[in-house]
Amino acid sequence: MSRPARLSGPARLSRRVRPGRRTWPGRRTLAPPPPRPPPPPRPPSGERPRAPGRDRGVLTISLALVFPIALLLVMLVVQAALLWYSDSVALAAAREGADAGRVAQGTDDAAKARAMAFLARFQDVVGTATVEVPPRKDGVFTMVVHVHPLLLIPWSDGLTLTQQVKEPIEQYVQPGQRAG
């Protein structure tokens, strides 16, 4: 079998060209361009289609709407933490004062002074506080602490947290005697 003769020039190229493809001498065969996508659906009557690049400023407007809400939520969380902390400090101060006042030789003034000294350490965080010692009755010492906590949210003055602790007054009992 003999080999077919080599063709040169345009005859050589036309032999390898498939229908629908273009070639140039010395270059590879190029595929036809991909088909165009269908046009987007037309908007309903009365609406104008948005041109690309017309969304400028949308992020700024949405940030201006969302940021105050996010800031308010953060302030509410911080306010709740301050209220919880003030309530905990008031309870601890009432316990400190009750511990000082329920001992056998304890006085109401000593209990009040110890509770106020405890509250003085937290004055910058807790706010203003008052301490009450109601009269002793039935062998029970009572200490009441009122705290006006710091408030971040305006127009909410007048909030008072109150903690009350009741503890039995210590009594010395001779060995062999019953307490009573």
Side-chain angles (χ1 to χ4, degrees):
M1 277 203 153
S2 67
R3 279 199 209 168
R6 289 187 103 192
L7 300 174
S8 63
R12 182 178 131 229
L13 291 175
S14 65
R15 225 172 107 191
R16 286 196 254 168
V17 174
R18 290 186 217 144
R21 299 196 175 212
R22 296 179 297 172
T23 59
W24 289 276
R27 298 205 177 205
R28 291 186 178 182
T29 305
L30 298 177
R36 290 187 179 191
R42 299 193 124 198
S45 62
E47 289 184 23
R48 290 180 34 187
R50 268 196 321 199
R54 300 272 317 245
D55 293 341
R56 295 183 65 163
V58 171
L59 183 63
T60 305
I61 291 172
S62 62
L63 184 64
L65 294 174
V66 170
F67 184 71
I69 295 169
L71 186 64
L72 179 67
L73 289 175
V74 169
M75 282 182 55
L76 286 174
V77 167
V78 170
Q79 184 64 62
L82 279 173
L83 291 174
W84 174 80
Y85 188 70
S86 298
D87 193 49
S88 298
V89 168
L91 180 61
R95 286 181 179 163
E96 285 284 323
D99 286 343
R102 74 183 195 103
V103 294
Q105 290 82 22
T107 63
D108 293 350
D109 292 334
K112 195 180 251 189
R114 188 158 170 193
M116 289 303 285
F118 183 84
L119 287 168
R121 290 186 276 174
F122 300 98
Q123 185 176 6
D124 294 336
V125 179
V126 172
T128 59
T130 57
V131 176
E132 293 178 17
V133 180
R136 300 172 186 225
K137 60 182 176 180
D138 299 330
V140 175
F141 180 81
T142 305
M143 171 68 72
V144 180
V145 175
H146 304 281
V147 174
H148 301 283
L150 297 175
L151 298 172
L152 298 176
I153 301 170
W155 313 292
S156 57
D157 295 340
L159 181 65
T160 302
L161 302 174
T162 302
Q163 288 291 345
Q164 178 178 352
V165 174
K166 293 182 178 184
E167 292 185 359
I169 298 173
E170 292 180 355
Q171 298 175 359
Y172 179 73
V173 178
Q174 294 285 339
Q177 285 184 341
R178 297 186 91 184

